[in-house]
Amino acid sequence: MTQFDGVLFDCDGVLVDSEPITNGVLREVLNESGWALTQAECMQIFIGKAVRDERARIEAETGKPLTEEWMQAFYARRNARLLAELKAVDGVHEAVAQLHGRVGGRIACASGADRAKVVMQLEHVGLASWFGDAVFSGHDLPRSKPAPDVYLAAAAHLGVDPRRCLVIEDTAPGAQAGLAAGATVWGYCPEGHGRAFQGLAVARVFSHMRELRV
């Protein structure tokens, strides 16, 4: 870790095990809106992206506009399910604590999800105190992942050169964002196969958060 001055974490799928919950709710509401797709298809299309990034496809598949009312109804159902079921990724509390100490507190959370959801999740699983106000959302920037904006904003907030940052990601769009920012990217893949990162210059693939405690 001595080559890094800061550590930037993605949130969903890295700090919290939220992807199956969020995508399960998304599949439900899309099916109700007329787009019949399987859970595997939903994960493949939306993993690592904001729902709004697929606005054109959603509208084409459902034959309906993606309204703000629809989005707010989705958010409400999603948040209720997350509060009922969400858990932290196994071993992440210890990993975050150790990395926080290793880089003098210069850690941040940089997510493609809406900031309210990210903060809610971090608070729910007891991680919010480690990050403080260093929580960033692609929704608040001109471009979200795979563009580098959210990681550049997080590094600037910490006062760290992004080229001296370690990014922890679990998806291809997120890894692309970290690499585009100039950071070193490590890919978290609990299944161990690392297929999400094929063709990307990810420096390391690991399968459990204990591997960060080095």
Side-chain angles (χ1 to χ4, degrees):
M1 287 293 170
T2 56
Q3 70 267 41
F4 303 118
D5 295 332
V7 182
L8 313 178
F9 293 87
D10 176 42
C11 184
D12 297 291
V14 170
L15 297 173
V16 294
D17 191 16
S18 55
E19 298 285 18
I21 301 170
T22 296
N23 277 273
V25 174
L26 180 58
R27 174 176 174 264
E28 290 174 6
V29 297
L30 288 172
N31 284 351
E32 291 166 8
S33 297
W35 183 6
L37 73 171
T38 67
Q39 190 61 45
E41 290 169 338
C42 190
M43 293 284 283
Q44 182 180 26
I45 294 166
F46 291 98
I47 195 79
K49 301 178 185 176
V51 174
R52 297 175 196 269
D53 291 342
E54 293 292 336
R55 173 185 296 274
R57 185 165 184 184
I58 292 171
E59 292 180 343
E61 296 284 354
T62 63
K64 304 169 186 175
L66 186 65
T67 65
E68 188 60 30
E69 290 75 19
W70 189 96
M71 286 299 306
Q72 292 304 317
F74 162 62
Y75 288 156
R77 191 188 300 191
R78 176 201 67 185
N79 291 352
R81 192 79 58 84
L82 286 168
L83 287 172
E85 302 175 16
L86 184 67
K87 295 181 180 179
V89 166
D90 187 36
V92 79
H93 288 89
E94 296 84 357
V96 167
Q98 183 163 10
L99 291 179
H100 186 276
R102 286 294 183 95
V103 296
R106 293 183 295 272
I107 67 170
C109 179
S111 174
D114 52 287
R115 192 176 189 280
K117 171 177 179 270
V118 177
V119 171
M120 177 192 76
Q121 292 182 137
L122 295 178
E123 290 176 346
H124 185 68
V125 301
L127 286 170
S129 61
W130 291 110
F131 294 97
D133 63 351
V135 177
F136 298 86
S137 165
H139 286 220
D140 300 329
L141 295 160
R143 302 173 299 173
S144 193
K145 300 175 184 179
D149 301 31
V150 71
Y151 281 121
L152 293 173
H157 176 84
L158 298 177
V160 177
D161 185 332
R163 294 170 296 181
R164 295 279 300 172
C165 287
L166 172 63
V167 163
I168 308 297
E169 268 288 353
D170 70 318
T171 69
Q176 290 169 330
L179 292 168
T184 298
V185 177
W186 288 3
Y188 173 58
C189 181
E191 292 83 12
H193 49 65
R195 285 194 289 269
F197 309 108
Q198 287 180 353
L200 298 174
V202 171
R204 175 180 171 187
V205 176
F206 66 102
S207 60
H208 195 280
M209 287 297 162
R210 71 172 68 91
E211 297 175 61
L212 292 181
R213 305 201 302 274
V214 294

